[in-house]
Amino acid sequence: MFSVQALEEIKKLLHKDKNIVIVSHYNPDGDAIGSSLGLKHALRLLDIEATVIVPNDFPKFLKWMPEAKQILIADFKRKKVSEAIKNADVIFCLDFNTLSRIGFLGDWIGKAKATKILIDHHQMPDEFDYVYSDTSLPATCQMVYHFLETLNIATEISKESAECLYTGIMTDTGGFRFRSTSATTHRIIANLIEKGADPANISSNTWDNNSINRLQLMALVLGRIEVVRNGEVAILWLKREEMERFGFEKGATDGFVNYGLSIMGTKMSAFFMEDIQEDFIKISFRSKDNWDVNQFSRNYFNGGGHINAAGGRSELSIEDTLDRFKNLVEKENFLL
């Protein structure tokens, strides 16, 4: 958490006559949107209105969240976003550890006069005016809840805030399955339920909305899943033309990588996907136990994240990327 002195300084910054902006990362996920909207709704207890900004569009299955449609998407509204950042007094940076994770917004925020406050659970954060970084916590939404506790408003948050924070914790813990999910996490979830978050409705709104095209795309990927390294590593992949054939929409492949870990005996799963617009391979890694895919991705695939969940990229073709990955994982100490 922030130091006592930092908290006192932050509290003085949070005033209803201040322009508050909340920004999250490129390709926003449930934790990014949930933490941003959860904080926005909670700040109203202090009579503060905040503007939420994301670099690009986010999946439809997250747009049910209260006021999600009011989020400013920089790709679509650059002028309005630029003005909001330029005029901001305080910018909350949620669920990313470096300004490079937010594309061109990083340059704008770097030049802005606003005080920058980082709340994030990824490793190796950059310097901001104030930093709350804790890699042991499973979701930025949980960190936002702890921050609200220090502001003495966590117990008063609205149903809307509770729903958003619940969603982010649920999605970033894989439905409360990942090992970083603690007793404290569950106590917070219980508090959010008491504030009106409905687990059945939230999980249904977020996960039970598959299109036929998405299920057919999933069937294609799972139909050719490959297991290497004596069954310890699962590999899934997808080409651009295949995504186009099935009417790809943002978020359509979310969660595909997790299916590799459901195979008995696997310790690591990797999903390789040609970017739908640019010429590179987007990679998602998931792992169990002490298999550090964060360091693996940093070492070999220009990425990073958490010990058991990370992302990366490759400039090679998908065929060459898969060959390189297979060669790496067959080495005895490939994670080092």
Side-chain angles (χ1 to χ4, degrees):
M1 179 51 70
F2 300 108
S3 68
V4 174
Q5 179 179 343
L7 279 170
E8 290 304 313
E9 293 172 359
I10 291 172
K11 288 177 182 179
K12 292 178 181 178
L13 293 171
L14 298 180
H15 193 274
K16 63 182 179 180
D17 63 358
K18 299 288 186 179
N19 290 322
I20 310 294
V21 167
I22 302 169
V23 178
S24 197
H25 58 75
Y26 193 80
N27 289 333
D29 57 8
D31 196 25
I33 300 299
S35 59
S36 298
L37 289 175
L39 178 59
K40 174 182 178 175
H41 291 296
L43 288 175
R44 287 184 175 144
L45 292 169
L46 302 176
D47 293 324
I48 294 172
E49 289 295 328
T51 300
V52 177
I53 295 171
V54 293
N56 63 336
D57 203 2
F58 53 99
K60 287 183 179 179
F61 62 78
L62 298 174
K63 294 186 177 181
W64 66 267
M65 280 190 273
E67 298 189 24
K69 293 182 180 178
Q70 295 182 22
I71 293 175
L72 294 182
I73 300 171
D75 272 354
F76 303 155
K77 297 185 177 182
R78 291 202 177 202
K79 183 177 180 180
K80 193 169 185 178
V81 167
S82 175
E83 291 174 353
I85 291 174
K86 182 178 179 180
N87 295 327
D89 297 300
V90 177
I91 300 177
F92 282 96
C93 299
L94 304 184
D95 203 35
F96 63 92
N97 57 354
T98 172
L99 292 179
S100 64
R101 286 280 283 116
I102 56 175
F104 62 86
L105 286 184
D107 293 333
W108 295 359
I109 291 176
K111 297 174 183 176
K113 61 179 176 60
T115 300
K116 290 94 175 179
I117 302 173
L118 177 75
I119 302 178
D120 178 59
H121 64 140
H122 297 88
Q123 297 184 6
M124 301 174 65
D126 282 352
E127 290 187 10
F128 290 75
D129 294 312
Y130 298 98
V131 174
Y132 172 22
S133 173
D134 191 337
T135 60
S136 70
L137 297 183
T140 297
C141 279
Q142 179 168 333
M143 301 179 72
V144 168
Y145 186 90
H146 290 313
F147 175 58
L148 298 178
E149 287 180 315
T150 66
L151 298 179
N152 297 317
I153 59 175
T155 58
E156 306 299 326
I157 62 172
S158 64
K159 174 184 177 182
E160 290 77 13
S161 183
E163 289 175 330
C164 296
L165 296 177
Y166 184 107
T167 302
I169 295 173
M170 178 187 73
T171 54
D172 242 33
T173 59
F176 315 107
R177 293 185 296 117
F178 298 159
R179 67 175 182 173
S180 56
T181 307
S182 65
T184 299
T185 305
H186 284 291
R187 280 190 285 268
I188 290 171
I189 287 297
N191 293 339
L192 296 176
I193 292 173
E194 289 177 349
K195 292 301 174 184
D198 186 321
N201 285 339
I202 291 173
S203 60
S204 180
N205 287 337
T206 305
W207 285 331
D208 297 340
N209 54 13
N210 289 309
S211 66
I212 292 296
N213 281 348
R214 182 177 188 271
L215 292 179
Q216 291 174 335
L217 193 64
M218 186 189 303
L220 173 67
V221 173
L222 296 182
R224 63 186 180 208
I225 193 168
E226 182 179 0
V227 179
V228 298
R229 195 182 165 89
N230 296 319
E232 291 181 315
V233 178
I235 301 173
L236 308 90
W237 54 274
L238 194 58
K239 289 189 173 183
R240 183 182 300 111
E241 62 90 8
E242 294 168 336
M243 291 185 282
E244 293 171 344
R245 189 196 323 158
F246 289 100
F248 177 81
E249 294 183 345
K250 182 172 287 295
T253 60
D254 285 9
F256 281 14
V257 65
N258 296 323
Y259 285 96
L261 284 185
S262 69
I263 300 172
M264 186 180 298
T266 56
K267 296 292 186 180
M268 177 180 178
S269 177
F271 175 51
F272 302 83
M273 181 179 76
E274 289 182 337
D275 188 81
I276 196 67
Q277 294 178 322
E278 300 181 43
D279 191 22
F280 72 94
I281 308 302
K282 181 180 178 182
I283 313 170
S284 296
F285 298 109
R286 297 293 184 271
S287 67
K288 297 177 181 177
D289 303 329
N290 61 347
W291 285 47
D292 190 348
V293 291
N294 167 63
Q295 196 58 52
F296 175 75
S297 183
R298 288 181 182 275
N299 288 346
Y300 303 111
F301 290 102
N302 303 303
H306 308 285
I307 290 177
N308 297 123
R313 62 182 288 159
S314 169
E315 309 301 329
L316 303 175
S317 68
I318 194 162
E319 292 83 5
D320 289 343
T321 299
L322 289 170
D323 286 341
R324 179 170 180 253
F325 177 75
K326 291 175 185 178
N327 289 332
L328 285 169
V329 299
E330 291 298 343
K331 296 178 180 178
E332 183 176 356
N333 298 314
F334 79 98
L335 288 173
L336 301 180

